[in-house]
Amino acid sequence: MDSERRLQRLYADDSGMSPVVGVALMIAITVALAAVTVAMLLGVADPGIAPTQDTAVSLDSTNAGTALVPEVTGSNDVDVRLNGESIATVDGNATGREIFLPTAPGDEVMLVTENEDATVLVREQFEAGEAGDFVAYYPFTGGGTTVEDHSRNGNDGTFQNSPQWVETGQGSALEFDGSDDYVAVDDLKTAGVGDVEEFTVAVTFEVDSNGDVQQLVEHNSGSEEWHIETTNDDALQFAVNWEDGHKIRTADDIIEPDKTYVAVGTYDGETYRLYLNGTEVANATYTSDVNMGEMQLGKNDPDDIQYFDGRMYEFRLYYTAFDDHQVEMLTRVLE
């Protein structure tokens, strides 16, 4: 099988507010797909070769991740994989249809033919600034007493007391004891912007106990507080301005110990929404900017209460709002 690939990068500013550098990746893939036909002539098999098929896609950086758009599709389906996991298929009906990929810095996208050869057509790794408009990104891999911000915005977190790096069947995680462990991010760097018009926060977590308020993430700046927390009646709550009562939540008795959840809160400047495991559970209106400021993972800010008892597997904070489909795809990656 003969394979030829052309890759071109074009850089442009993708958002007036954000520091992310938009990236347009134009990928043209030409693959010779061989099909054998047998003709019997005087008892001798005469193989024929099918004509060359072209598959061309564009990969364009967006505020939420990466948009893959098939420009030309061939006769063979192509499997789209994010970090080795199948996330979409490019088939003959996919031309012009955008496929959203919730990429993050360090992620790898592969396009692989869905045939016996499973030929890798494209293998592309994304750097910071190419894979979404992040404020902070913590995959919770590493060691020491610092949580590295993989978005390279410098929003590293510092251990307070003794959170523990652990490996579980779910993957690497940061474990909090529910007593005094938390992570402090002193001042979120947002490219000189103190307030943002929209944002999305996502966290994968599991609790070891319930029945108490536990903060997954909280920001408090004067009278402005946004957070995601579990409540004392085992609901999940998302607030964009808690002091003024702008908060939404799931029903009671939802969060149970030793189960993994993906919580996503998103705000587009008019409506804020809460999703649990990819499903929207509540929404309400709010029309003010939101302050980023400092942030704490695993504790109330500023009081020494409401400590988180469990594990966090991944945390993402974006400058941009996500729609329903983007949240669904993000949840698939974070689960």
Side-chain angles (χ1 to χ4, degrees):
M1 175 174 291
D2 177 49
S3 176
E4 177 183 335
R5 184 181 74 183
R6 293 186 294 109
L7 176 63
Q8 180 182 18
R9 293 173 180 262
L10 302 174
Y11 295 86
D13 185 9
D14 190 56
S15 169
M17 178 187 70
S18 76
V20 74
V21 178
V23 180
L25 303 175
M26 298 300 297
I27 301 173
I29 310 153
T30 303
V31 183
L33 302 173
V36 177
T37 60
V38 178
M40 301 302 295
L41 178 60
L42 299 177
V44 178
D46 183 18
I49 302 299
T52 297
Q53 302 292 324
D54 290 337
T55 298
V57 304
S58 67
L59 284 171
D60 300 322
S61 177
T62 72
N63 286 347
T66 300
L68 183 151
V69 181
E71 307 291 350
V72 180
T73 56
S75 59
N76 264 24
D77 291 351
V78 175
D79 188 27
V80 182
R81 301 178 186 178
L82 182 58
N83 298 327
E85 298 293 328
S86 179
I87 195 168
T89 298
V90 176
D91 57 25
N93 298 317
T95 302
R97 187 183 69 206
E98 179 179 309
I99 299 171
F100 170 65
L101 307 177
T103 48
D107 281 356
E108 181 181 74
V109 171
M110 294 172 57
L111 272 64
V112 182
T113 58
E114 290 189 353
N115 54 19
E116 292 182 0
D117 294 323
T119 302
V120 177
L121 306 177
V122 170
R123 186 190 303 269
E124 180 67 19
Q125 190 162 23
F126 291 82
E127 303 296 333
E130 298 178 351
D133 202 356
F134 285 89
V135 180
Y137 170 47
Y138 309 127
F140 295 123
T141 57
T145 59
T146 298
V147 176
E148 180 184 356
D149 175 16
H150 286 239
S151 75
R152 297 185 185 174
N153 287 327
N155 292 314
D156 295 342
T158 304
F159 279 21
Q160 305 298 315
N161 301 310
S162 302
Q164 299 293 314
W165 299 105
V166 296
E167 291 289 337
T168 74
Q170 179 74 15
S172 59
L174 191 61
E175 187 169 69
F176 300 76
D177 65 4
S179 176
D180 60 2
D181 292 346
Y182 68 101
V183 172
V185 183
D186 289 337
D187 187 16
L188 284 172
K189 299 174 180 64
T190 53
V193 179
D195 296 339
V196 296
E197 297 176 353
E198 55 185 75
F199 75 104
T200 295
V201 56
V203 58
T204 306
F205 71 97
E206 60 185 24
V207 298
D208 286 336
S209 62
N210 56 2
D212 297 302
V213 176
Q214 299 184 39
Q215 295 293 341
L216 292 164
V217 54
E218 181 165 306
H219 155 77
N220 195 329
S221 177
S223 63
E224 295 185 27
E225 175 188 321
W226 60 263
H227 67 232
I228 293 183
E229 68 179 27
T230 64
T231 69
N232 54 15
D233 45 18
D234 303 325
L236 184 73
Q237 180 170 280
F238 173 46
V240 292
N241 189 328
W242 181 81
E243 290 288 343
D244 290 343
H246 295 285
K247 55 188 178 182
I248 51 180
R249 51 180 282 167
T250 67
D252 295 347
D253 303 318
I254 294 295
I255 304 301
E256 300 178 17
D258 303 320
K259 290 188 176 181
T260 303
Y261 299 94
V262 178
V264 179
T266 188
Y267 171 59
D268 64 7
E270 296 181 352
T271 304
Y272 60 108
R273 305 176 189 274
L274 174 62
Y275 298 79
L276 183 62
N277 294 340
T279 299
E280 182 179 337
V281 293
N283 68 75
T285 58
Y286 184 66
T287 55
S288 295
D289 291 351
V290 175
N291 183 275
M292 286 290 108
E294 66 180 26
M295 180 176 70
Q296 294 185 352
L297 305 179
K299 183 183 85 70
N300 178 279
D301 182 11
D303 299 321
D304 295 332
I305 57 174
Q306 301 171 352
Y307 288 96
F308 176 64
D309 181 20
R311 284 154 298 286
M312 296 187 197
Y313 291 94
E314 190 163 329
F315 177 89
R316 301 186 181 199
L317 181 60
Y318 296 84
Y319 285 101
T320 192
F322 277 41
D323 61 28
D324 287 347
H325 176 65
Q326 290 169 333
V327 170
E328 177 187 354
M329 296 294 281
L330 176 62
T331 299
R332 286 179 57 185
V333 170
L334 295 181
E335 284 178 331

